[in-house]
Amino acid sequence: MNAGRAWIPLLLVLAATAGCGDSPDARQPLTKLSITGSSTMAPLIAAIGKRFERRHPGVRIDVQTGGSSRGVADTRSGLAHIGMVSRALRALEQRDLVGTPVARDGIGLIVHNTNPVGALTPRQVVALYTGGMTTWRPVSGKDASVVVVNKAEGRATLELFLKYFHLTNAEIRADVIIGDNEQGIKFVAGNPHAIGYVSNGAAEYALRHEVPIKRLPLTTASAPPAAGHPAPSPLARPLTLVTTRRPPALAQAFIAFAASSHVHDLVAAHYFVPLAA
Amino acid sequence: MALVLLVFFAGLLGHLLWHGAAGLSWELFTAPPRHAGRDGGIAPILVSTGLILGVCMVTALPFGLGTAVLLAEVTQRRSWTGEFVRRSLDTLAGVPSIVFGLFGNAFFCVTLGLGFSIMSGGLTLACMVLPILIRTAEEGLRAVPREYRLAAAALGFSHASTVCQLLLPAAVPALLAGFILGLGRAMAETAALIFTSGYVDRMPASLWDSGRALSIHIYDLSMHVPGGDGRAYASALVLIGLLLVINAGAMWAGRRLTAQWILVA
Amino acid sequence: MYTTWWPPITLSHSRRDQLLRALLWSCASVAGLMLVCIVAFLILESAPALSHPGWRRFFTDAAWHPTEDAYALWPMLAGTLLSTGGAVLLAAPLGIGTAVFCQWYAPAWLAVPCRRLIELLAGIPSVVFGFWGLVALVPLINQWQPPGASLLAGICILTMMILPTTSLLAQASLAQADPDALRAAAALGFGRWGTLRRVVLPSCAAGLLTAGLLAASRALGETMAVLMVCGNVVQLPSSLFDPVRTLTANMALEIPYAAGRHRSVLFVSGLLLLLLVISLVGSATWVRRALRHV
């Protein structure tokens, strides 16, 4: 009957897990705030949440990811108290939701750092992205085919890019389509002839840590790019926290904290732009 | 060709070692993550991973063994139901993990009300590894010589005791192989866990808390946290190390169990 | 030929045995039920897209721009089939080869570490494969033939991912070869290769097929790694170096940011994938039956 002994540990584990089930959720005044949404914002909001927890003992902030749409859907359905949306709210969403921007994230063009091209005009960017220009030669670059990196359908950065350059996604002739910013940076860093657009924060960090990419400023005929501090890019999106029209008090307190100057250092540490106070 | 592949694998492991070794330290195993995981350790994440795997295996093993015994020892060759179960398992094995994740989110988190929790994640993973567990266990049981069953029947053993005391112990090595394969699959899973066990990197207080698994941590660090690569590599090394330990442990247990069983027999 | 063991119709009516059978059937029904639930879930979620724009459009539309009312899923179906097919074509012979080597040719001191290594590789997360593919493999292919992120990169990564599973399952089925048949072969003076070719491999054909099948379905369902290395452009590739998007990558890339009809169409990709797996399983059953009659 020795074989029976093999099952003893299993039973013990079963008993132990059953024991864990006895701790029911506290249904007292809200102490656990659940936040879901944009994966770009999640690391920042989680850090803000930790600081908030330290100031309000007993409160727990649970941050989940799954994308901006998930943030909107879960806030509507009540699954989450707060949603993270890495863009401005659409008109349809503003009917039943309230958005509060907590930071901004710019978008910039990046190329490999061996690419001799120094700057592009919007017209040239459009030509590169729509197949009107297939090598780098016409913008005094190398005689090599351009590898155009575009973002996947539905991403806020794509929307912003298309709107800024007056394009539709159907017009773009992409060679590679990516999801997240880091994927774009890693791809461009490994490909000397690629061009892509990513979140400025992510690009900034990569630049400072010797990833072989460089940012490509946009020029217009009238104003050449200023050296040093560039003007705030028009290609920027607000990082927004959304709630229903009547959020719980704790959610309001958290949003107020996240939008305050108490967290500007965290915003900067995640390479986003704090909102002017 | 095999050599080319070997080079690929060596390249992969070497790459991980080269970039990850610097991040390995005592702090990694004892401290909570700081700055979104760029600094600090992965202690809570290791605990969450262990709990998720525990829930997964505790649920999947009984169901898996039960179904495997049924397929190998009870259903007849032309049994329609047996074939149906087998085909459903083969199909389940091919369901993409992201579908499991979305399904787990809808079913365990929302319908059953478990929310983002280690429980939901473990149960979702259990659904995923079930086909692997069952198929390997079934093959293992079939590999037990027919004479064992005949002898047991001749001695008047009930079917139940034949299975529990003779066939399952005899198939232990195969069962362990399946266990390891399933555990490896569960440990490597990302897409199914993002929507179920979640993203919270705090030390979990119970199974009803959300907890971040190691593979999600690696994914988040490499894809969403600028400058997370170093810790991502180190975490990947830890994950591989864990797998090695589990493999060795299972092998040791297997050898002991088999030895014990032979003594009794 | 060695025949697989099938239990006889049991004559036992003891209370314990009836209890055992009831228990086992309830375990098995959970597995069956789960599949039914998942299928129902997928159909429910994709229902809006199936009623409008309707399934025909997924195969006749010219492009995939779900926010601009173009819903071509067929290029992604092709992408999935090509990448999986390529990976299985590479991984099946290699996997069976390594299994034969470990089980039959390698001395014990080599076979055991080999097995451990393969088990280890089976547990590496797909994210790690994808990550490595993105920073090492894609730039390598890029130097050879831009853009690098391509069908070829996808096939390479998938092969690496499914090879360990294939090899382990193949080893498990090789280990089952009937010892009597092996002794008989030895008595007849068959060499190692002869035994393998004439006795072992034919008797294990069904098991090897299962191994290949599980590997193929794993490759069909793989998401993260493929997403990172394949380039994800929705098009019918004209060469190995063209980027492709698979059905799984389509879901993973767009579901986090999709809503309404767009989201529903993405679930159709999941449904399509499930149909693929079911037809694969069906054809494998058919082949297995044909093998049995040989």
Side-chain angles (χ1 to χ4, degrees):
Chain A
M1 303 307 109
N2 231 340
R5 218 179 281 163
W7 299 104
I8 293 175
L10 190 73
L11 289 176
L12 279 180
V13 177
L14 263 173
T17 45
C20 289
D22 293 338
S23 61
D25 275 7
R27 296 254 176 264
Q28 296 133 10
L30 189 63
T31 56
K32 185 170 156 186
L33 209 53
S34 88
I35 305 179
T36 69
S38 159
S39 51
T40 315
M41 288 171 72
L44 169 67
I45 299 299
I48 294 180
K50 277 184 185 160
R51 186 170 286 180
F52 189 78
E53 282 172 357
R54 234 173 291 140
R55 296 187 167 211
H56 301 78
V59 170
R60 287 190 29 190
I61 312 282
D62 278 3
V63 178
Q64 309 292 351
T65 66
S68 297
S69 307
R70 170 134 235 130
V72 170
D74 285 355
T75 310
R76 272 188 180 146
S77 71
L79 209 63
H81 300 109
I82 302 176
M84 302 176 281
V85 180
S86 50
R87 52 172 165 76
L89 281 188
R90 301 196 175 111
L92 203 64
E93 293 163 345
Q94 277 172 345
R95 277 194 212 154
D96 57 335
L97 299 174
V98 187
T100 314
V102 292
R104 269 160 39 100
D105 180 25
I107 303 175
L109 289 163
I110 56 168
V111 291
H112 196 267
N113 73 352
T114 56
N115 196 324
V117 176
L120 291 173
T121 64
R123 192 185 294 265
Q124 287 167 332
V125 174
V126 170
L128 281 169
Y129 267 84
T130 53
M133 195 192 297
T134 53
T135 72
W136 285 103
R137 173 62 69 74
V139 283
S140 61
K142 290 177 194 154
D143 191 16
S145 324
V146 179
V147 175
V148 174
V149 182
N150 195 22
K151 285 243 178 175
E153 196 80 57
R155 305 262 164 175
T157 29
L158 169 71
E159 245 167 72
L160 211 62
F161 181 83
L162 294 179
K163 208 166 142 200
Y164 184 78
F165 290 105
H166 306 291
L167 290 168
T168 63
N169 204 13
E171 292 171 292
I172 288 186
R173 297 279 162 269
D175 296 301
V176 171
I177 292 176
I178 55 156
D180 297 311
N181 288 318
E182 286 297 306
Q183 192 184 354
I185 288 174
K186 290 188 173 96
F187 185 83
V188 172
N191 196 319
H193 310 302
I195 177 168
Y197 55 92
V198 295
S199 156
N200 271 341
E204 187 67 28
Y205 186 94
L207 277 172
R208 285 199 207 153
H209 289 78
E210 292 167 359
V211 177
I213 59 164
K214 69 175 182 186
R215 279 159 79 174
L216 212 53
L218 278 178
T219 51
T220 46
S222 52
H229 283 283
S233 156
L235 260 167
R237 54 177 175 167
L239 303 178
T240 314
L241 291 180
V242 302
T243 58
T244 50
R245 291 235 169 256
R246 246 184 263 140
L250 185 64
Q252 280 174 330
F254 179 77
I255 292 178
F257 180 68
S260 71
S261 56
H262 295 296
V263 297
H264 279 181
D265 58 322
L266 288 178
V267 173
H270 284 81
Y271 300 92
F272 297 123
V273 184
L275 297 176
Chain B
M1 189 67 210
L3 210 74
V4 172
L5 242 103
L6 202 69
V7 169
F8 272 148
F9 278 122
L12 171 65
L13 290 177
H15 184 86
L16 286 180
L17 269 175
W18 177 255
H19 291 93
L24 290 178
S25 67
W26 186 239
E27 193 205 3
L28 191 69
F29 295 94
T30 54
R34 276 192 323 252
H35 302 131
R38 244 174 267 152
D39 298 311
I42 53 171
I45 288 151
L46 287 176
V47 173
S48 301
T49 310
L51 288 176
I52 292 171
L53 290 180
V55 171
C56 160
M57 282 302 165
V58 165
T59 1
L61 272 182
F63 283 112
L65 281 182
T67 312
V69 170
L70 180 92
L71 291 178
E73 303 298 329
V74 178
T75 56
Q76 271 94 51
R77 176 173 188 159
R78 292 191 200 290
S79 150
W80 178 85
T81 34
E83 273 304 283
F84 174 74
V85 171
R86 215 168 276 133
R87 294 297 93 80
S88 342
L89 286 172
D90 287 349
T91 313
L92 268 185
V95 174
S97 47
I98 185 164
V99 172
F100 270 110
L102 294 168
F103 169 75
N105 182 269
F107 186 66
F108 295 118
C109 300
V110 180
T111 311
L112 294 189
L114 295 174
F116 284 98
S117 66
I118 288 176
M119 207 65 197
S120 314
L123 292 177
T124 309
L125 278 191
C127 301
M128 279 194 72
V129 299
L130 211 50
I132 296 181
L133 283 181
I134 295 174
R135 291 307 279 204
T136 40
E138 188 197 345
E139 298 275 303
L141 284 170
R142 284 183 187 284
V144 177
R146 197 185 316 188
E147 287 76 11
Y148 284 33
R149 298 172 179 91
L150 299 178
L155 287 171
F157 274 35
S158 71
H159 201 175
S161 11
T162 314
V163 168
C164 296
Q165 285 165 29
L166 200 63
L167 301 180
L168 284 179
V172 157
L175 299 185
L176 274 175
F179 175 78
I180 292 174
L181 211 59
L183 204 65
R185 176 91 200 263
M187 224 163 161
E189 191 40 56
T190 318
L193 287 178
I194 292 184
F195 300 105
T196 53
S197 73
Y199 181 80
V200 174
D201 61 0
R202 192 187 307 115
M203 185 68 85
S206 79
L207 294 181
W208 272 253
D209 267 358
S210 165
R212 194 192 287 195
L214 200 47
S215 51
I216 294 200
H217 192 56
I218 298 173
Y219 172 68
D220 191 55
L221 280 181
S222 59
M223 284 291 130
H224 298 131
V225 179
D229 290 4
R231 280 290 188 270
Y233 280 119
S235 307
L237 277 185
V238 170
L239 190 114
I240 291 174
L242 271 180
L243 274 174
L244 270 178
V245 170
I246 291 172
N247 277 8
M251 282 305 124
W252 177 80
R255 222 170 291 137
R256 279 204 51 164
L257 283 176
T258 328
Q260 260 183 13
W261 179 72
I262 288 169
L263 272 181
V264 175
Chain C
M1 198 178 117
Y2 174 66
T3 49
T4 9
W5 158 265
W6 288 97
I9 296 168
T10 179
L11 296 173
S12 165
H13 289 291
S14 86
R15 173 73 62 77
R16 265 184 94 187
D17 284 357
Q18 282 171 357
L19 198 74
L20 175 80
R21 276 198 293 277
L23 202 75
L24 296 183
W25 274 114
S26 49
C27 283
S29 53
V30 167
L33 210 66
M34 210 153 61
L35 182 67
V36 173
C37 280
I38 288 179
V39 173
F41 168 70
L42 279 178
I43 291 179
L44 210 70
E45 289 279 0
S46 48
L50 288 174
S51 64
H52 176 86
W55 63 272
R56 236 175 264 265
R57 291 273 305 277
F58 302 132
F59 299 98
T60 51
D61 275 8
W64 170 257
H65 293 295
T67 47
E68 293 161 31
D69 202 39
Y71 303 99
L73 283 178
W74 57 270
M76 293 177 249
L77 188 65
T80 294
L81 287 175
L82 285 171
S83 58
T84 302
V88 171
L89 277 184
L90 282 177
L94 283 169
I96 294 174
T98 45
V100 165
F101 175 75
C102 283
Q103 202 73 25
W104 280 81
Y105 286 95
W109 61 266
L110 189 63
V112 174
C114 240
R115 217 188 127 81
R116 288 296 99 78
L117 180 72
I118 295 171
E119 276 167 1
L120 181 72
L121 292 171
I124 295 181
S126 51
V127 176
V128 174
F129 275 107
F131 188 63
W132 177 76
L134 186 62
V135 298
L137 186 65
V138 168
L140 200 72
I141 297 179
N142 174 50
Q143 280 172 9
W144 180 21
Q145 198 91 38
S150 57
L151 180 59
L152 180 67
I155 289 177
C156 286
I157 290 288
L158 276 180
T159 306
M160 288 176 70
M161 294 189 65
I162 64 174
L163 184 65
T165 322
T166 321
S167 173
L168 287 177
L169 290 172
Q171 276 186 47
S173 87
L174 285 181
Q176 275 183 50
D178 185 8
D180 286 344
L182 298 184
R183 277 192 284 273
L188 287 172
F190 276 30
R192 197 178 286 187
W193 171 237
T195 316
L196 206 58
R197 208 168 68 95
R198 306 250 174 222
V199 181
V200 178
L201 288 182
S203 76
C204 296
L208 295 179
L209 195 74
T210 309
L213 175 73
L214 280 177
S217 45
R218 169 100 201 257
L220 277 181
E222 181 43 50
T223 313
M224 288 308 188
V226 172
L227 186 156
M228 289 183 184
V229 301
C230 271
N232 300 320
V233 178
V234 183
Q235 62 176 13
L236 204 61
S238 54
S239 82
L240 274 177
F241 300 103
D242 276 355
V244 294
R245 186 187 294 192
T246 65
L247 289 168
T248 46
N250 192 37
M251 288 187 87
L253 264 181
E254 300 193 0
I255 264 199
Y257 298 89
R261 182 121 6 240
H262 181 188
R263 184 176 148 89
S264 181
V265 178
L266 291 176
F267 275 97
V268 175
S269 359
L271 201 62
L272 217 54
L273 208 58
L274 201 67
L275 288 180
L276 263 184
V277 176
I278 290 176
S279 55
L280 188 73
V281 170
S283 53
T285 314
W286 184 77
V287 172
R288 212 176 286 146
R289 216 164 273 158
L291 276 177
R292 216 180 274 157
H293 290 305
V294 172

